[in-house]
Amino acid sequence: MNYRLEHMSMRYGKREALKDFSYTFGTGVYGLIGPNGAGKTTLMQLIAGVFRPTTGRVYFDEEPFDTMSPRYAAHIGYLPQEIVMYPEFTVRQYLEYVAALKKVRDQQQINHLLELVNLSDREKTRCGKLSGGMKRRLGIAQAVLGDPRVLILDEPTTGVDITERVKFRQIISELSADRAVIYSTHTSEDLELVAKEIILMKKGSIVSAGPGAELLRALNGKVWEIRLTAEEFRAAQQNRRDLLVANVALDNEQCLTRILCEACPFEGAHAVPATYEDLSLYIFSGTFPAAGESAAPPAEGV
């Protein structure tokens, strides 16, 4: 399966929320990471056919599609940030309602999806009585009704606990075997185990993209850990413009400090493997120079 977006943009008056976005998706999970206002939700709404793009084309296997057409909609499953569920509907009634809207007549598909999202024992429970995690799983089921080729998930684990997030990752991993899953999240660890490729966005444009392992490899030698005294830690935060503290944990009256820096920040610091959170901080913090810029010299200090 080949799903291609070509020069997609979206303008609201003078504001350009998405700028010349082009990308090709195959099967697997594609993670969208970016700060608020990066254009992630706008991109997903355009892909889902909620709005018509200002410019751009969409292709399935090189065949152009109109994103507002029923023929295109049949290939798309969408779980928005906020999903509307009628509280008096039971879980099964809700899925039957969505199936009717999508003209899906196979009741066995509903049975299969209830099993997939672990809600078979809740099919008679009213939607208003479901926990937040159960509602998100039911949201996945409604999105997958009709067997779409592209599944869009906008912040799907917002507000759910770690147990539900683990269940969610397992479901997504299974669904991505034969479709493209485009997954937007602020919780980058959700993507570390399942994402095939990562797309980092800022101000409506792609900043960096590719297989996660390759993007993380670019941070080799830029993520460090060291134990500092409280005084050394405060001095580092105040005086060292060339580094960013990614995490700190108190340990026996010392600060176990995780630092992003272009070179070894202090004697005794050791390099550690980067995470997607490190990658996001490195690219979006504004601490480090963009390509072609030179880094600010380190200030005197610790």
Side-chain angles (χ1 to χ4, degrees), residues 79-249:
L79 175 59
Q81 289 186 32
E82 298 294 333
I83 183 170
V84 176
M85 294 180 182
Y86 299 105
E88 295 305 313
F89 276 15
T90 66
V91 167
R92 175 170 284 277
Q93 285 171 337
Y94 174 70
L95 288 181
E96 289 174 342
Y97 170 71
V98 176
L101 293 177
K102 292 186 176 185
K103 299 181 180 179
V104 175
R105 296 179 175 82
D106 183 7
Q107 290 295 307
Q108 286 301 113
Q109 191 173 144
I110 292 177
N111 295 334
H112 169 71
L113 289 173
L114 285 171
E115 291 179 9
L116 175 69
V117 300
N118 299 311
L119 288 176
S120 294
D121 60 341
R122 297 281 184 169
E123 66 173 297
K124 295 182 180 180
T125 302
R126 297 194 185 280
C127 293
K129 300 293 185 181
L130 298 176
S131 68
M134 290 178 183
K135 287 179 179 177
R136 301 312 282 177
R137 282 189 272 144
L138 181 55
I140 279 282
Q142 66 81 26
V144 179
L145 268 170
D147 196 24
R149 300 166 75 184
V150 175
L151 181 60
I152 308 162
L153 310 176
D154 194 359
E155 302 287 349
T157 58
T158 298
V160 302
D161 61 30
I162 184 62
T163 303
E164 285 290 349
R165 279 169 46 201
V166 170
K167 291 177 183 176
F168 209 88
R169 286 200 297 265
Q170 292 170 346
I171 294 168
I172 297 310
S173 182
E174 183 173 343
L175 289 172
S176 67
D178 58 358
R179 76 192 81 228
V181 178
I182 304 174
Y183 188 132
S184 168
T185 182
H186 284 291
T187 312
S188 53
E189 60 265 31
D190 282 347
L191 297 173
E192 292 202 32
L193 297 177
V194 297
K196 174 182 179 180
E197 294 184 18
I198 298 295
I199 302 168
L200 294 120
M201 296 182 64
K202 185 176 182 179
K203 296 181 179 178
S205 300
I206 296 176
V207 179
S208 186
E214 291 183 11
L215 297 178
L216 294 179
R217 198 176 302 125
L219 289 189
N220 284 350
K222 297 180 180 180
V223 186
W224 308 84
E225 283 190 353
I226 187 172
R227 291 180 183 277
L228 300 174
T229 66
E231 183 178 349
E232 289 171 334
F233 175 71
R234 284 193 294 270
Q237 283 192 307
Q238 293 173 4
N239 302 324
R240 292 292 300 273
R241 290 177 296 147
D242 61 319
L243 59 79
L244 176 67
V245 174
N247 191 47
V248 60

Side-chain angles (χ1 to χ4, degrees), residues 33 188 191-192 195 198 212-213 216 274-281:
I33 299 177
S188 53
L191 297 173
E192 292 202 32
I198 298 295
L216 294 179
T275 66
Y276 286 161
E277 184 173 284
D278 296 325
L279 180 66
S280 299
L281 284 170

